Amino acid sequence: MAEATVRGFDAVVVGAGFGGLYALWRLRGLGMSVRVYEGGSGVGGTWFWNRYPGARCDVESLAYSYSFSPELEQEWVWTERYASQPEILRYANHVADRFDLRRDIQLNTRIESAIFDEQSGRWNVRADDGTGVSAQYCIMATGCLSSRNTPDFPGLETFRGAHHHTGSWPAEGVDLEGKRVGIIGTGSSAIQAIPIIAEQAEHLHVFQRTPNYSIPARNGPLDPGFQEKVKADYEAFRQPFLGGMFGLDFSPHDRLAMDATPGERREMYERRWAEGGLALIGSFADLLSSQEANDTAAEFIRGKIREIVDDPEVAEKLLPDSPVACKRPCADTGYFETYNRPDVTLVDISDTPIDEITPAGVRVGDREYELDTIVFATGFDAMTGSLMRIDIRGRAGLTLAEKWSGGPRTYLGLCTVGFPNLFTITGPGSPSVLANMIPAIEQHVDWIADCFMHMRERGLSVIEATREAEDAWVDHVNERADRTLYPSCNSWYVGANIPGKPRVFMPYLGFPAYVERCEEVVAREYEGFELSA
Ligand code: NA7
């Protein structure tokens, strides 16, 4: 990189999703020069890319929103209990305009490398358009579910029809009217998309490797009176969310499932099923830690699936047998009901996987399914994928890929040893995907901004976690997970969906305790970090 052409910034932010947008606003407020790079042609991150039919947030709209601006809170009107992808994308764009963020965001630009220069103590960041900048701080707001996973099925290139991944759905939409559609995967994206695609397609084949639990979302228009009431004291509305284990107001029950009678358990599950949404997993305090307790919730949901699905053989194939919520639980609108349609076929590929994609469709064993369109709802290389795509090099040329070859290692999910002044927003080792993402993002960005202020006031320029702090944190993250049922499942939380990925439970369990820990670290003069000039 020729010295003369390198522009210098105080901070480079990678990604213009909710993390990048807020980081820009906050750091600009500190008088810092910031440049944000975004690979997409618009802001919004996850909500820019995931435009598949039915895409919707399963955290309630009033809670899945920024809290940093009371004016923004008051003026933005949510229309549904759970906001749809187009509405969330409009919100992200509104934020970008309202806070005049666009002038510091370079769209259509992917960062290819970020290399720490030990001499200058700065990060040299290079984009795919060949340009480079340097910055004191490098903030990776690259998202937890941004690196798409398209399984390497032989023959995909020979397929005569169209194929799309839910995570890069064309902005102009896809005409599925009258088409023979196949969807691969039954995770959260598929469970949202399947009922809508079924309405459009001539016939829909669902290729299911593992059945999933799903709870009716009970979405609907948001009562304007309720919204006004929330806005009259938004802070009070947010409080129970901020105090909840997942940053969500699950009204968690402190009672243990096995202390309740079967009748009491049934009543509780029925109530939460009727209320809709993911709060069912907060029905009892031990659902995520006791197999016996979890079995009672699992059996309840399996009973519901049997009730909803008319054909007992199809219902049987749709019954999950792993613990509830061990994989990311789903919220749906008419998912299981969709299997009662004559134009929807469930193809169980648990024993006989997809062998190949043929010019005409999908072959499973000796059966070929002829299709016009294949939808890959096959998920993401979660948490680390979007970081690993970038050539990140820290001290002594150590690459992040080398350092994390056995799984991600961070201190607080914010920093990693050997990579000074590099921060990850909702990185592995932080509550991230097991928290309400927007408050989790705000908490991370606020922590980082406060840290920059602290350093500036003291004439410090370099911050790096210590090895001891990082090792202890990684152990702690694992200990928390090991007390639960989470590590027992082949979920993307443990990287099991990506062949060859090390099996490590990546998020940190326990949002409010985590926030307290971060505050404690600051109160103890950045305990576990080394700060220097
Ligand atoms: P998920 O939850 O990772 O789901 C991906 C689905 O694709 C899941 O059912 C997988 O089955 C299936 N899959 C993945 N690879 C294959 C292959 N090779 N063959 C057949 N089936 C496969 O991704 P989503 O996009 O639905 O959701 C991601 C998150 O976004 C979600 O959790 C929310 O947080 C929002 P498997 O279960 O691995 O057997």
Side-chain angles (χ1 to χ4, degrees):
M1 214 183 292
E3 278 303 313
T5 62
V6 173
R7 236 184 115 184
F9 291 91
D10 292 327
V12 157
V13 176
V14 186
F18 282 108
L21 291 177
Y22 182 52
L24 171 57
W25 184 81
R26 206 49 183 86
L27 300 187
R28 204 194 256 171
L30 298 180
M32 293 172 70
S33 61
V34 186
R35 166 61 58 94
V36 181
Y37 288 102
E38 165 57 52
S41 61
V43 303
T46 290
W47 301 104
F48 174 86
W49 295 104
N50 284 267
R51 298 168 191 243
Y52 60 85
R56 190 177 288 285
C57 185
D58 46 23
V59 174
E60 295 183 41
S61 55
L62 284 163
Y64 189 82
S65 59
Y66 285 124
S67 67
F68 72 88
S69 161
E71 297 77 22
L72 173 67
E73 276 182 332
Q74 291 301 318
E75 75 200 11
W76 184 263
V77 179
W78 295 105
T79 63
E80 292 177 273
R81 178 178 178 190
Y82 299 96
S84 66
Q85 174 273 331
E87 187 160 272
I88 301 173
L89 189 57
R90 276 199 296 280
Y91 176 70
N93 276 286
H94 171 76
V95 169
D97 291 329
R98 193 194 189 288
F99 298 99
D100 186 24
L101 299 177
R102 294 189 198 272
R103 62 187 155 91
D104 292 321
I105 303 173
Q106 186 174 322
L107 299 172
N108 299 307
T109 313
R110 285 207 175 271
I111 293 305
E112 287 186 334
S113 66
I115 298 176
F116 184 65
D117 176 4
E118 291 197 64
Q119 294 253 290
S120 62
R122 292 174 70 83
W123 283 91
N124 290 325
V125 179
R126 188 163 271 279
D128 60 357
D129 63 358
T131 61
V133 293
S134 90
Q136 183 182 354
Y137 298 110
C138 185
I139 298 178
M140 294 296 177
T142 41
C144 294
L145 295 159
S146 310
S147 180
R148 289 181 292 279
N149 168 43
T150 305
D152 195 10
F153 296 121
L156 179 57
E157 68 293 345
T158 69
F159 181 55
R160 281 195 299 263
H163 61 90
H164 304 281
H165 191 288
T166 50
S168 59
W169 202 259
E172 63 279 12
V174 179
D175 184 9
L176 298 173
E177 215 59 53
K179 298 263 164 55
R180 297 163 304 170
V181 181
I183 185 166
I184 303 172
T186 48
S188 205
S189 303
I191 281 177
Q192 291 185 333
I194 284 167
I196 316 266
I197 295 179
E199 278 170 21
Q200 301 166 352
E202 182 204 287
H203 197 99
L204 174 65
H205 280 94
V206 178
F207 297 89
Q208 171 189 271
R209 185 164 70 178
T210 317
N212 233 321
Y213 295 97
S214 185
I215 298 157
R218 314 247 182 249
N219 185 38
L222 202 54
D223 171 15
F226 176 67
Q227 186 155 193
E228 261 171 49
K229 223 172 101 193
V230 167
K231 288 182 176 179
D233 192 352
Y234 221 128
E235 217 184 314
F237 170 77
R238 291 195 194 273
Q239 270 322 307
F241 287 82
L242 298 176
M245 178 170 169
F246 301 104
L248 293 171
D249 181 13
F250 279 177
S251 313
H253 215 284
D254 49 15
R255 195 166 184 203
L256 303 180
M258 303 325 290
D259 287 349
T261 65
E264 287 168 334
R265 282 198 296 267
R266 172 106 208 153
E267 195 192 326
M268 171 65 99
Y269 294 143
E270 285 288 3
R271 181 150 54 79
R272 298 221 168 184
W273 182 268
E275 285 165 4
L278 303 182
L280 192 137
I281 67 171
S283 298
F284 294 100
D286 51 350
L287 289 190
L288 296 170
S289 54
S290 150
Q291 184 67 56
E292 197 185 11
N294 194 289
D295 286 345
T296 66
E299 199 36 51
F300 173 81
I301 301 176
R302 284 193 287 262
K304 288 292 182 193
I305 299 171
R306 287 190 190 98
E307 272 171 32
I308 296 169
V309 179
D310 297 338
D311 181 335
E313 270 181 42
V314 176
E316 210 53 36
K317 288 182 193 158
L318 287 165
L319 302 183
D321 62 2
S322 56
V324 178
C326 193
K327 281 186 164 192
R328 172 69 155 67
C330 306
D332 70 275
T333 300
Y335 173 64
F336 293 113
E337 289 82 348
T338 301
Y339 292 97
N340 295 334
R341 297 175 66 115
D343 51 6
V344 173
T345 306
L346 178 67
V347 184
D348 182 352
I349 54 167
S350 56
D351 292 331
T352 315
I354 292 174
D355 288 295
E356 61 170 342
I357 311 280
T358 65
V362 167
R363 190 170 67 78
V364 179
D366 51 15
R367 169 96 203 258
E368 187 180 41
Y369 296 87
E370 291 194 5
L371 304 169
D372 302 307
T373 307
I374 300 175
V375 176
F376 286 94
T378 42
F380 302 88
D381 182 354
M383 316 261 333
T384 53
S386 52
L387 291 165
M388 294 304 199
R389 281 201 298 210
I390 305 171
D391 181 13
I392 303 175
R393 292 169 194 247
R395 287 194 196 279
L398 177 70
T399 67
L400 192 68
E402 279 160 3
K403 177 167 176 190
W404 287 7
S405 59
R409 300 189 70 80
T410 69
Y411 181 37
L412 299 171
L414 277 165
C415 295
T416 185
V417 177
F419 298 79
N421 290 2
L422 179 90
F423 292 85
T424 47
I425 306 290
T426 62
S430 77
S432 55
V433 293
L434 288 178
N436 181 2
M437 285 306 279
I438 296 189
I441 282 167
E442 287 187 311
Q443 185 260 338
H444 261 190
V445 171
D446 287 339
W447 192 95
I448 293 166
D450 291 348
C451 169
F452 291 173
M453 257 193 313
H454 173 93
M455 290 174 63
R456 188 166 66 188
E457 282 161 9
R458 287 159 185 78
L460 301 166
S461 55
V462 181
I463 176 166
E464 187 174 353
T466 66
R467 176 85 49 198
E468 300 70 45
E470 181 172 288
D471 289 349
W473 184 254
V474 171
D475 289 347
H476 176 61
V477 172
N478 289 329
E479 275 160 27
R480 296 272 313 203
D482 289 343
R483 278 187 255 149
T484 70
L485 301 171
Y486 280 108
S488 66
C489 292
N490 292 326
S491 66
W492 56 256
Y493 297 140
V494 297
N497 62 328
I498 303 295
K501 192 167 174 174
R503 193 182 175 105
V504 172
F505 186 78
M506 293 178 286
Y508 177 71
L509 264 165
F511 179 72
Y514 172 83
V515 176
E516 278 169 33
R517 179 71 194 127
C518 289
E519 286 167 3
E520 209 175 270
V521 163
V522 174
R524 295 189 185 158
E525 294 287 319
Y526 290 88
E527 186 179 39
F529 287 99
E530 253 166 37
L531 283 70
S532 57

